[in-house]
Amino acid sequence: MSLNGILQVGLSGVLASENALQTVSNNIANENTPGYVSEVANLATNPSQPTTFPGGLGEGVQTASISRNFSKFAQTQFMNATSMAAASSGEVNTLQQLSSLFPVTSGQSGLSSAISNFYAAFQTLSTNPSSIPDRQSVLSQAQSLTAQYQNSINTIASVKNGLVQQMEQSVGTINALSSQLAKINQSILATPSGSSIPNSLLDSQAAALDKLSKQIGINTITTSDGTLIVTTKSGATLVDGSQSMKLAVQAGGQFQQPGQGGIVYQPTGQNLTAKIAGGALGGALSAQARVNQIQLQLGLLAQGIVAVTNSQQAKGVDLNGNFGAPIFSVQGPEVFPADTNQGNALITASVTDLSSVPPTTFTLEYNGSQWNVINDANGTSQTLTASSGGTLQFGGMTVQVSGTAAAGDSFLLDPAGATAGAFQTVMTDPNQIAAAFPYVASPGTVSSSGGLVNKNIGTESLSSGTVVSTGNYGSGVAVVPSGIAPQSLSLTFTSATQYNILTSGGVVIASGSWGGPGSTAVVIPYPSNGLASGSAMSFSWDGGQPVAGDSFTFSSGAPGDNANAVTMAQVSDQAVLQNGSINQTIADLSSTYGNFTQVAKQSQSAANAVLSQATTALSNISGVNLNEEAAQVVNYTQAYQAASAIIQTTNTLFQSLLQAV
């Protein structure tokens, strides 16, 4: 080898060591740079110089490439873990905002406490049913209950509005990152032919993908030209080459519900709400579904409270002797049309059997001749044909269809309504609380002075009245025609076994036969146009023997009777909703919230553990290890110095050669 060859070998060593030192220096400088992937200088031997002897002479070293310590598998695992952690964290944070609605410590205020206090006020009233202060206390507790309920709904509404804002922020970030990735693809395509893609560009791409995965679950495909195709987990393309596709938040969602948010794929207008998974956006959508379910159950709870309270109230009489007026009002089901509907159909719904209404929404889809009704909770469906007048019946509800639906039209039915019941106290007069039963039975007849005169000879008596469902009472029972109550009535035996029921004016309106102790004597139906329709007061024979001429008077229980107040205090234990009583429902609602929160926290814990593992795995591959880099600095510095010594030695040899000539 010539002196020039020795010089070239030494020079190649200097240059290779210099490149390696610069690579190590870059790693050290970017140790804390987000998204930076550590690099390594890959050195390769130059081809040997041919010689007349075997083996040849070496020509030194060259820098073959500067490669990234990158693993697509590790990055994919990291992005998936990031999406899961972001989604679960968002859901937990949302559910924790509802914790005030479901206090777990005894003595705390809350909806459960307000319900208990309201019905307990009836128990207090039953001890003195004519007390105005106790009656006012019932109304005060009613107002406190509806105020507490409204606070709960306001809290839920605030949470839902916050979720929509989170969706808008997340979608804005997703669109910006998609645009950034499309521009990176453009830069990759602009790389001169034959040149490798700059590592810094690939680092920017990886960093953008990491940020995007925190907002939404994604899949990536690397094409033959080095660019990336980025899609959502469901397959909607976000980035393809130099083009980015945008998402949008649809206020109100597909069915334009207040406080809802939906996700639309702008290139096609397709609704992706149910297909988004992972990331902050997926977490917000999942939390929205959870909150919707809690709101729906609260709405049904309000309907249950109204149903049992107003119904029992209607079975009693107030201080004026009138049947009880409603204490509460509540909004019924609402139906929301899809924004893509082409027909002019108008759909309304009402509850016919509250105990059969499930805690879920329903989607109604029209195919041109029939309706497909989908239970949104479990996905089951049934096909229905509207009867005359356009009526559908399912889930304890009657749905009325007017106008004409077009094929493909769809509607969302919410049994609780958009405002979750609009639960209000409508009674303001304490005198209207119906603490008494409409009738109490007393032996004797009313005298001209208004008092009762008992001239009965027989020993028979009547039991206290009870409320029963109307139906077949058997033979011999005197059934008063509907519409007579609450006027006073009398019963007179015309013989030892036969008796008549008379109005206060002496008109016979029913007859019966004495059936012995325990048999039903008289049934007095409630008005057919009231909330107590379908019920009646029933009186039975207590025991003893009647005598012709014996009489009994049925007069208003007000003001002294407490029978209806006693029953009102217990109606929260009556089965009224699909999952049971008011008390059972509020317990189930708290349990539902607790389960949602527990599952979300468990998912968060698991996701964070997976993310920690994925972060460590990626860091071990792509991160900068300062100890290793310091060792490389020493190694390449020594190599640089050794190569420099070769050049210096060659220079000395040149000088010696020149002096010898």
Side-chain angles (χ1 to χ4, degrees):
M1 173 180 285
S2 64
L3 288 177
N4 184 59
I6 296 173
L7 178 63
Q8 292 300 320
V9 169
L11 182 59
S12 71
V14 167
L15 294 176
S17 297
E18 186 179 83
N19 291 337
L21 280 170
Q22 183 170 343
T23 301
V24 172
S25 299
N26 191 50
N27 286 341
I28 295 172
N30 287 282
E31 188 239 343
N32 293 314
T33 302
Y36 177 76
V37 176
S38 64
E39 301 173 347
V40 60
N42 300 302
L43 305 182
T45 302
N46 287 327
S48 298
Q49 177 184 346
T51 61
T52 57
F53 48 82
L57 293 173
E59 289 286 344
V61 65
Q62 62 176 319
T63 305
S65 65
I66 306 296
S67 62
R68 302 163 71 229
N69 293 318
F70 177 77
S71 166
K72 184 173 178 60
F73 174 79
Q75 188 197 31
T76 300
Q77 294 297 100
F78 175 75
M79 290 192 301
N80 289 339
T82 299
S83 291
M84 290 172 55
S88 59
S89 177
E91 189 169 355
V92 168
N93 291 339
T94 297
L95 291 174
Q96 286 180 334
Q97 294 178 54
L98 301 180
S99 61
S100 63
L101 306 185
F102 306 99
V104 295
T105 304
S106 61
Q108 284 186 298
S109 61
L111 191 56
S112 177
S113 176
I115 292 173
S116 297
N117 292 340
F118 169 66
Y119 289 112
F122 278 103
Q123 185 64 46
T124 301
L125 176 62
S126 69
T127 63
N128 187 4
S130 59
S131 169
I132 297 301
D134 287 346
R135 288 170 170 268
Q136 186 60 58
S137 177
V138 170
L139 290 187
S140 297
Q141 292 298 337
Q143 292 162 356
S144 176
L145 170 56
T146 51
Q148 180 65 49
Y149 184 89
Q150 190 57 52
N151 287 339
S152 300
I153 295 305
N154 289 341
T155 298
I156 288 177
S158 176
V159 170
K160 291 174 67 174
N161 288 334
L163 287 172
V164 174
Q165 293 175 2
Q166 288 180 35
M167 293 177 202
E168 292 172 342
Q169 182 179 7
S170 184
V171 165
T173 302
I174 290 169
N175 289 340
L177 289 170
S178 296
S179 177
Q180 180 182 344
L181 285 165
K183 291 179 180 178
I184 291 174
N185 278 344
Q186 288 179 354
S187 298
I188 290 174
L189 291 172
T191 302
S193 178
S195 300
S196 60
I197 300 172
N199 287 341
S200 58
L201 193 59
L202 296 176
D203 284 353
S204 297
Q205 184 185 70
L209 288 173
D210 291 345
K211 292 178 182 177
L212 184 59
S213 66
K214 194 171 184 178
Q215 300 299 324
I216 189 173
I218 57 173
N219 291 323
T220 61
I221 302 171
T222 304
T223 64
S224 58
D225 57 16
T227 60
L228 279 183
I229 296 174
V230 183
T231 70
T232 65
K233 288 294 185 181
S234 63
T237 301
L238 298 176
V239 180
D240 187 1
S242 59
Q243 292 185 325
S244 63
M245 291 70 172
K246 296 184 181 298
L247 302 179
V249 176
Q250 183 181 29
Q254 180 182 1
F255 296 99
Q256 299 301 291
Q257 292 173 276
Q260 294 292 106
I263 307 301
V264 174
Y265 188 58
Q266 285 193 334
T268 62
Q270 180 185 4
N271 190 292
L272 298 182
T273 305
K275 298 180 180 180
I276 298 296
L281 183 58
L285 290 171
S286 179
Q288 178 177 257
R290 299 293 198 194
V291 175
N292 286 343
Q293 188 170 353
I294 292 172
Q295 180 175 345
L296 175 56
Q297 288 180 299
L298 275 176
L300 291 177
L301 175 65
Q303 292 188 34
I305 293 172
V306 172
V308 295
T309 304
N310 287 355
S311 175
Q312 191 62 48
Q313 166 79 356
K315 294 171 184 176
V317 290
D318 60 22
L319 286 181
N320 300 318
N322 300 320
F323 282 116
I327 295 177
F328 299 116
S329 69
V330 70
Q331 176 183 327
E334 280 191 274
V335 182
F336 303 92
D339 59 346
T340 56
N341 286 0
Q342 299 298 311
N344 61 3
L346 177 65
I347 297 182
T348 56
S350 60
V351 173
T352 52
D353 179 10
L354 187 58
S355 64
S356 298
V357 178
T360 179
T361 57
F362 291 88
T363 300
L364 284 68
E365 299 175 341
Y366 187 63
N367 65 7
S369 61
Q370 292 180 312
W371 291 92
N372 188 38
V373 180
I374 303 169
N375 181 313
D376 295 329
N378 56 30
T380 59
S381 64
Q382 57 180 320
T383 301
L384 300 174
T385 301
S387 62
S388 58
T391 301
L392 302 171
Q393 292 185 327
F394 58 89
M397 294 174 286
T398 296
V399 175
Q400 188 69 38
V401 182
S402 60
T404 304
D409 284 358
S410 61
F411 300 80
L412 182 75
L413 190 161
D414 186 342
T419 55
F423 187 26
Q424 295 180 334
T425 301
V426 294
M427 180 176 286
T428 58
D429 184 358
N431 290 322
Q432 290 184 307
I433 295 174
F437 270 169
Y439 291 103
V440 293
S442 305
T445 57
V446 179
S447 67
S448 58
S449 62
L452 275 175
V453 178
N454 182 9
K455 296 181 179 181
N456 291 356
I457 299 174
T459 59
E460 183 61 280
S461 61
L462 283 167
S463 67
S464 299
T466 59
V467 177
V468 298
S469 298
T470 55
N472 184 7
Y473 307 104
S475 61
V477 179
V479 181
V480 174
S482 178
I484 297 298
Q487 66 174 287
S488 296
L489 303 171
S490 62
L491 181 154
T492 301
F493 275 92
T494 58
S495 70
T497 58
Q498 303 296 314
Y499 54 90
N500 291 330
I501 307 297
L502 300 87
T503 65
S504 57
V507 178
V508 176
I509 55 175
S511 299
S513 299
W514 180 71
S519 63
T520 302
V522 180
V523 172
I524 308 173
Y526 286 93
S528 58
N529 60 347
L531 291 174
S533 175
S535 297
M537 283 208 69
S538 175
F539 294 85
S540 301
W541 297 115
D542 256 352
Q545 189 70 39
V547 174
D550 285 355
S551 296
F552 296 86
T553 297
F554 298 91
S555 57
S556 173
D561 182 58
N562 70 347
N564 204 49
V566 171
T567 306
M568 289 282 276
Q570 301 168 351
V571 295
S572 58
D573 288 323
Q574 292 181 8
V576 62
L577 296 166
Q578 189 181 66
N579 59 341
S581 66
I582 300 302
N583 290 338
Q584 182 61 50
T585 299
I586 192 67
D588 288 348
L589 187 56
S590 296
S591 177
T592 296
Y593 168 76
N595 289 338
F596 282 169
T597 305
Q598 182 180 13
V599 170
K601 287 183 176 180
Q602 289 174 345
S603 297
Q604 181 186 36
S605 178
N608 287 340
V610 172
L611 177 59
S612 178
Q613 294 173 357
T615 301
T616 300
L618 184 62
S619 178
N620 288 340
I621 296 172
S622 300
V624 176
N625 186 315
L626 291 180
N627 291 330
E628 292 181 0
E629 299 301 329
Q632 293 290 355
V633 168
V634 173
N635 182 45
Y636 288 123
T637 298
Q638 290 176 343
Y640 185 94
Q641 291 172 341
S644 298
I646 292 174
I647 295 175
Q648 184 177 5
T649 298
T650 304
N651 180 57
T652 301
L653 291 174
F654 265 119
Q655 293 299 325
S656 298
L657 181 61
L658 290 174
Q659 291 174 1
V661 171

